Amino acid sequence: RMRKRSMELWPEWIKDLSNYDPKLRIHKPLIKLARSETEKEFFEKLLERKKNDDLYSIPQEDVKEMFPNLSVKNYGALISPFDGRIDPIRLQNCLRKALINDKVKLIAQQIIDINRNKSDNAYKWSVVQADGEIIDADIIIICAALDTNNLLNKIGHSLNIEPILGQALTIKVDSMMLNNWPGVLSVNNFNLIKYRKNELIIGATLETGFTASRIEFESMKRLNGIAPEWIQKGEITSQWSGIRAKPIGKPAPILEQLEKGLIVASGHYRNGILLAPSTAEWIQETLKK
């Protein structure tokens, strides 16, 4: 439900936020190639079950025509015309400008502690910044990924969250190889995204813990063994890694009001941008209660 609601809200967000940057948009569509006959059958069952306009199948002959240079074993594909990607840096810049425009005070300080105030205090909570300044508040909303527990543990709460590291890279390729590229092409569990005219982003790995594996990185560039030569030989222009916060034993994200005025909206795992609008809506509704 959250995903569906976010997809309804994103066009509204884009319309408002593009006032700060006209180039902000959703790059569509998302195409996912089937990896095997088994996955092809799974796609067919999924389409039969959903019976709506959000997903379509792409026959094998059309996949070959769309991606003649990909040269992976072809079992057909799914296309989601409304899914895609948003440039995360461009999005964050627009959100920051929108907050400033709405007179929201932005504080560039790490929060290192949360305390319950004494009953005679006008505010229930206080947060301590790294520079020592203390801010009193009636409501605290924690969106701190893995650092969530560092704050909650000090006031007697804890959430089951684990770190999942992801590596990604950018390679330079012949621009002809990226003609008619979709917003996102998903191949063998990796996303391939056209970046500029002749660069391709490939990501991301799924690695438990905080330490990046060189083996996983090399496997990613080979798309787990099925990458065409032009991808394998592409010049790596950048590489990076990041940590996602994944809830243990329950779906992402964690949306909970632990106490009156203490709200957690965290642990989005790999869907932080996708679920941002519906998360914001959930927080808004929670604050009204």
Side-chain angles (χ1 to χ4, degrees):
R1 284 197 305 240
M2 283 194 71
R3 182 191 180 281
K4 183 177 180 181
R5 184 59 181 149
S6 273
M7 295 306 292
E8 293 170 351
L9 291 170
W10 262 120
E12 299 175 23
W13 277 41
I14 294 292
K15 182 180 178 182
D16 291 340
L17 291 173
S18 62
N19 291 324
Y20 303 99
D21 184 346
K23 293 183 179 180
L24 181 71
R25 64 186 181 93
I26 302 175
H27 299 264
K28 306 171 185 177
L30 182 148
I31 296 176
K32 182 174 177 61
L33 300 187
R35 293 179 293 170
S36 62
E37 284 291 343
T38 301
E39 190 163 62
K40 178 185 175 183
E41 291 172 8
F42 172 78
F43 285 176
E44 290 169 351
K45 291 176 182 177
L46 180 66
L47 287 169
E48 177 63 25
R49 191 172 74 247
K50 287 181 72 71
K51 290 183 178 178
N52 59 32
D53 295 331
D54 291 345
L55 289 174
Y56 303 94
S57 64
I58 306 177
Q60 289 167 267
E61 57 271 20
D62 290 349
V63 169
K64 186 174 182 180
E65 186 177 338
M66 292 169 70
F67 305 106
N69 301 311
L70 203 55
S71 66
V72 296
K73 201 158 186 181
N74 183 359
Y75 299 97
L78 278 184
I79 180 169
S80 178
F82 303 110
D83 276 315
R85 69 175 289 266
I86 296 174
D87 184 321
I89 304 302
R90 198 179 291 276
L91 173 63
Q92 289 180 60
N93 288 338
C94 288
L95 287 169
R96 190 172 292 108
K97 290 175 182 177
L99 290 170
I100 293 171
N101 187 60
D102 286 343
K103 305 296 190 293
V104 175
K105 183 180 179 181
L106 304 180
I107 301 171
Q109 281 285 328
Q110 181 185 5
I111 302 301
I112 61 173
D113 208 353
I114 295 175
N115 297 305
R116 290 185 187 85
N117 287 332
K118 295 179 180 179
S119 58
D120 59 350
N121 194 298
Y123 298 95
K124 184 173 182 180
W125 305 99
S126 62
V127 295
V128 183
Q129 298 178 181
D131 62 0
E133 185 175 342
I134 297 174
I135 302 172
D136 289 320
D138 283 323
I139 299 168
I140 297 173
I141 302 167
I142 300 177
C143 313
L146 285 177
D147 281 332
T148 299
N149 275 336
N150 292 339
L151 298 172
L152 290 179
N153 289 344
K154 298 171 182 178
I155 51 174
H157 292 284
S158 182
L159 299 172
N160 289 325
I161 307 174
E162 65 177 334
I164 303 294
L165 183 139
Q167 299 186 73
L169 61 87
T170 304
I171 58 170
K172 187 177 289 185
V173 299
D174 186 335
S175 60
M176 292 292 292
M177 298 296 184
L178 302 180
N179 284 345
N180 303 314
W181 206 264
V184 180
L185 180 65
S186 179
V187 181
N188 215 10
N189 278 350
F190 293 109
N191 293 322
L192 280 61
I193 298 166
K194 182 178 179 180
Y195 179 64
R196 301 196 180 103
K197 184 179 179 181
N198 65 336
E199 287 188 292
L200 192 65
I201 297 173
I202 303 176
T205 62
L206 299 174
E207 307 171 45
T208 303
F210 295 94
T211 304
S213 163
R214 185 66 195 178
I215 294 174
E216 292 286 346
F217 180 86
E218 294 295 337
S219 180
M220 174 177 62
K221 190 178 180 185
R222 295 192 301 272
L223 302 180
N224 286 335
I226 68 166
E229 188 175 2
W230 62 272
I231 286 181
Q232 294 191 53
K233 290 189 174 181
E235 176 193 349
I236 297 176
T237 52
S238 61
Q239 63 186 83
W240 64 96
S241 65
I243 303 293
R244 303 91 146 205
K246 180 178 181 293
I248 300 173
K250 62 191 304 184
I254 298 172
L255 303 177
E256 296 182 20
Q257 181 166 238
L258 301 178
E259 298 180 29
K260 186 67 175 176
L262 180 62
I263 295 171
V264 174
S266 197
H268 284 73
Y269 189 32
R270 306 175 77 190
N271 289 312
I273 290 179
L274 170 65
L275 299 180
S278 52
T279 296
E281 187 175 66
W282 177 86
I283 292 171
Q284 183 182 43
E285 292 303 313
T286 303
L287 293 175
K288 291 177 181 178
K289 295 176 182 177

